[in-house]
Amino acid sequence: MSAHAAPHRRITLGDLAAKKAAGEPIVMVTAYDYPSAQIVEAAGVDVVLVGDSAAMTVLGYESTVPVTVDEMIMLTAAVRRGLQKPLLIADLPFGSYEASDAIAVATAQRFVKETGCDLVKIERGGTSVDRARALVNAGIPVVGHIGLTPQTATSLGGYRAQGRTAEAALALIDDALALQAAGCSLLVVEAVPSEVTAALMPLLDIPVIGIGAGADGDGQVLVFHDLLGIYGGPTARFVKRYADLRAAAIAGVEAYAGEVRGGQYPAPEHGYGMPAEEIARLRDLLAGR
């Protein structure tokens, strides 16, 4: 590959493994459409997740549960069109993989074929370990997700940190080891005590991406709308806002509305003109009607 083309080579799982081995942090962020994909591409992130958090941040649902396969496929395909270099992960939504290995494989195949994603992500341990193994055996790379798993947050007692007792932490670690043994290529660990992540790291060979899980993982992920201050709803304590785009967007639209109502917009420079002779001809044509 030429030096000119090299910047557009897609990041691979091998690249992430090399970053882990070198102790180089992996940067993951969510994106949900073509414009957000272009932004995170330009920012130089390593991995993009089309999370089912799109249910709330983009589609207006109250939780991740209602979002459908078709909706997630549409969003993931749009993100794929906006990306060149980052690795792309698609969340399999609630109800699309849990019932059987066959259903999980069929759903994941749709995502790979119709969106061009590089990996799919499923939540929890337990039976999800079997689903992960089936997906890997079908040739589909898988990302596991333990800790706070939003699709089943109700059964976990709501959106709250997990693994805060020794027994609960050990269960999470066992889930992580089982997902690795099933062939998962990456693991997302969400909303667990930092000490749990620290205890987990020496036991895993695959990259670990944290979100509200301390600084010991191999990388971090945040939701696009949270870190940029776009989403107007409540955010978790682990969210750090790096911009306030919602306030800037509201101010921009208010300024536009004010100029429309005050007659300042559009100004002459925002319009198009006609040659004087064409204006004269148009008047003659109208007069002749």
Side-chain angles (χ1 to χ4, degrees), residues 2 62 67 73 76 111 165 200 206 211-212 217 225 248 269 274 286:
S2 69
E62 292 186 356
V67 71
I73 283 178
T76 306
F111 272 85
T165 68
L200 179 64
I206 60 175
I211 176 169
H225 290 62
E269 64 267 25
M274 290 176 67
L286 289 171

Side-chain angles (χ1 to χ4, degrees), residues 189-264:
V189 180
E190 180 172 357
V192 304
S194 302
E195 294 83 359
V196 176
T197 306
L200 179 64
M201 291 305 296
L203 306 176
L204 291 180
D205 298 319
I206 60 175
V208 174
I209 308 298
I211 176 169
D216 287 292
D218 299 300
Q220 299 291 326
V221 59
L222 279 178
V223 170
F224 183 86
H225 290 62
D226 288 344
L227 74 91
L228 293 179
I230 299 171
Y231 182 55
T235 58
R237 65 177 294 173
F238 54 75
V239 172
K240 180 176 179 179
R241 288 192 168 173
Y242 292 84
D244 191 2
L245 299 192
R246 187 172 190 270
I250 291 172
V253 176
E254 285 178 340
Y256 159 72
E259 288 199 358
V260 170
R261 291 173 179 141
Q264 292 88 23

Side-chain angles (χ1 to χ4, degrees), residues 8-45:
H8 298 304
R9 182 184 71 82
R10 285 188 184 178
I11 291 173
T12 67
L13 288 171
D15 294 326
L16 299 189
K19 285 179 179 290
K20 177 181 176 71
E24 181 181 346
I26 298 167
V27 179
M28 182 190 295
V29 68
T30 67
Y32 308 106
D33 54 21
Y34 184 76
S36 61
Q38 289 186 308
I39 290 170
V40 300
E41 168 83 36
V45 305

Side-chain angles (χ1 to χ4, degrees), residues 10 76-77 80 88 110-119:
R10 285 188 184 178
T76 306
R80 174 79 282 168
L88 179 59
R110 275 199 67 191
F111 272 85
V112 173
K113 288 170 66 70
E114 296 180 32
T115 74
C117 65
D118 300 302
L119 302 94

